[in-house]
Amino acid sequence: MTPSENPSRSAGATGRQRLTLLGATGSIGQQTLDVVVRHPERYEVFAVTAGTQWQAMARLCETVRPRYAAMANPAAAASLRNHLRELGSQVEVLEGPDSLVALAAHPDADTVVAGIVGAAGVRPTLAAVEAGKRVLLANKEALVVTGSLFMDAVKRHGATLLPLDSEHNAIFQCLPTEGVNAGVERLLLTASGGPFRQFTAEQLKAVTPEQAVKHPNWDMGPKISVDSATLMNKGLEFIEACWLFDVPPAMVDVVVHPQSVIHSMVAYRDGSVLAQMGMPDMRTPIACGLSWPERVESGAKRLDFSVLAGLNFELPDLQRFPCLGLARDAMAAGGTATAVLNAANEEAVAAFLDGQLDFMGIADVVARTLDKQDAPACRDVDAVMEIDRQARQLACHWIKERGC
């Protein structure tokens, strides 16, 4: 199902930036809306998309009144459509994965916030890039899965790509205007270490989903929270940073910083290190991306140096948290190894959250899948997604073999 055309509503007619939010009911989508509603004179929500949570989408539609709302799940779309019809709402409800792609590329939208979690966000995000949009990227998997295909499309179609992940947004703010140049020595990604940073190997074996989704610093969805607990989230961010800033893996380091006050750093050849600091609140990088190169109020609390007790740093422990090392290995392997890594991790995390796999089994399933799944270089997204499908199938085999 595709959106109907309305020539009377040309892009920019209201003088406000028109936004399409991919993954509007998720953590990034909700925090984006919190920033947007503070600036009605600057932003207009044109379209919103989600997967299955039609009740949350219904509340969202009543609040921001977009022109379109799309649900990837047809049954959820039908429920949303019936509910909004009873309310007399004028929001047009679309359905199916193709509707998300169509809205991402819709000519009446100026900016697309890519907040869908996982590989499900690859095609809509790429569609926005191919339409030459201003793309605010929070879906790191789009780059992890497609790599050079994605960045080539950004250049070919003249899209503007701005990172929303707090770490990449921090690096973006600390780099020169032209990006990485000869004066840049290293990019330093900070990691909180997650809720189990001080757990022993024995304690990690007994970790429950309820424990894993409670991040000590950040307000995130369950999948990303688990990724943070395993350090896979930092592994995915490491891969994303290599593509996003066009640097070799050797130029990117990860350092554990439990306070999550410094969000990442750039080290220069003269010995200078520039760091971006702030409270651990995703609304800060979201506001930065929405308003760049200007600055707007985000709603985030201000960093109070008078009560800041201290800033600590340490190296990540790859023995207890092997997922970061697996991500580095996949990036070094090339081809579609990072797509295999991501697919296996998504299946393993879903199984863990569903009680079918133990916490340490996540890294085990990813490692086994990487070891057995072919990962050739691919020329198009369809071929990459076929590798993704095969990797998921293999990961599910290992999950059943190891299962709780």
Side-chain angles (χ1 to χ4, degrees):
M1 190 172 183
T2 57
S4 58
E5 297 298 327
N6 185 353
S8 66
R9 292 191 63 172
S10 60
T14 63
R16 295 181 291 172
Q17 193 178 151
R18 281 191 177 150
L19 309 176
T20 291
L21 306 185
L22 302 176
T25 60
S27 176
I28 291 296
Q30 291 298 298
Q31 291 179 86
T32 298
L33 287 169
D34 189 81
V35 175
V36 166
V37 297
R38 297 170 187 274
H39 306 281
E41 75 288 354
R42 296 181 66 109
Y43 308 113
E44 172 186 354
V45 179
F46 173 72
V48 288
T49 81
T52 61
Q53 299 182 46
W54 72 265
Q55 295 96 333
M57 181 65 91
R59 293 190 294 271
L60 191 156
C61 288
E62 292 175 43
T63 302
V64 300
R65 299 181 181 179
R67 179 175 167 190
Y68 295 110
M71 305 296 298
N73 181 280
S79 297
L80 177 65
R81 190 178 295 113
N82 292 336
H83 178 81
L84 293 180
R85 187 180 294 130
E86 291 176 1
L87 297 177
S89 172
Q90 298 301 306
V91 177
E92 185 174 342
V93 179
L94 312 178
E95 65 183 56
D98 288 347
S99 68
L100 276 63
V101 172
L103 286 179
H106 197 288
D108 282 2
D110 310 307
T111 299
V112 175
V113 178
I116 298 175
V117 176
V122 170
R123 291 188 187 278
T125 306
L126 191 57
V129 166
E130 291 173 343
K133 302 294 185 185
R134 179 182 170 108
V135 179
L136 309 187
L137 187 68
N139 171 253
K140 62 179 65 67
E141 290 84 358
L143 269 175
V144 170
V145 172
T146 61
S148 61
L149 294 176
F150 188 93
M151 294 308 298
D152 288 347
V154 170
K155 296 172 185 176
R156 188 165 63 253
H157 296 282
T160 299
L161 187 63
L162 296 171
L164 289 196
D165 266 345
S166 61
E167 295 80 2
H168 303 93
N169 185 267
I171 289 173
F172 171 74
Q173 293 190 55
C174 293
L175 283 172
T177 304
E178 69 273 18
V180 175
N181 60 25
V184 175
E185 188 171 67
R186 305 189 79 74
L187 307 183
L188 302 168
L189 293 171
T190 57
S192 71
F196 313 128
R197 179 175 62 89
Q198 296 179 314
F199 274 36
T200 65
E202 278 301 311
Q203 288 176 309
L204 288 172
K205 292 179 182 177
V207 162
T208 67
E210 291 74 21
Q211 291 174 303
V213 299
K214 293 179 180 178
H215 194 281
N217 300 335
W218 295 96
D219 177 17
M220 304 185 294
K223 195 269 181 181
I224 299 177
S225 294
V226 174
D227 282 347
S228 179
T230 65
L231 287 194
M232 179 60 88
N233 193 49
K234 208 52 51 180
L236 299 178
E237 290 174 359
F238 164 80
I239 295 167
E240 182 184 6
C242 294
W243 289 116
L244 194 60
F245 301 111
D246 192 22
V247 296
M251 275 188 68
V252 184
D253 284 337
V254 173
V255 59
V256 174
H257 168 50
Q259 292 82 18
S260 296
V261 169
I262 292 178
H263 300 302
S264 276
M265 299 168 277
V266 175
Y268 287 85
R269 295 193 182 281
D270 61 3
S272 300
V273 179
L274 300 189
Q276 188 267 332
M277 305 175 69
M279 294 294 288
D281 190 324
M282 279 303 300
R283 291 176 297 178
T284 296
I286 288 169
C288 175
L290 283 171
S291 63
W292 191 265
E294 299 177 41
R295 301 277 182 168
V296 298
E297 170 60 45
S298 68
K301 291 182 179 179
R302 301 305 190 258
L303 193 61
D304 186 349
F305 287 93
S306 67
V307 298
L308 197 60
L311 303 177
N312 305 106
F313 303 91
E314 61 193 55
L315 293 177
D317 185 337
L318 300 186
Q319 294 299 314
R320 288 181 299 136
F321 302 99
C323 284
L324 176 56
L326 291 172
R328 282 187 173 275
D329 292 344
M331 188 64 186
T336 47
T338 56
V340 172
L341 172 98
N342 180 74
N345 181 65
E346 286 190 18
E347 294 299 323
V349 170
F352 167 70
L353 288 170
D354 200 34
Q356 299 175 23
L357 187 68
D358 61 283
F359 183 76
M360 297 304 290
I362 296 172
D364 183 56
V365 167
V366 173
R368 292 190 186 198
T369 306
L370 280 168
D371 186 52
K372 297 296 183 181
Q373 174 66 51
D374 290 337
C378 295
R379 294 184 178 180
D380 57 56
V381 174
D382 288 340
V384 174
M385 298 313 292
E386 174 57 22
I387 296 295
D388 174 276
R389 185 195 67 79
Q390 294 173 15
R392 289 174 190 277
Q393 189 175 42
L394 184 56
C396 287
H397 166 75
W398 296 126
I399 289 167
K400 290 179 181 177
E401 184 173 279
R402 180 180 171 115
C404 293

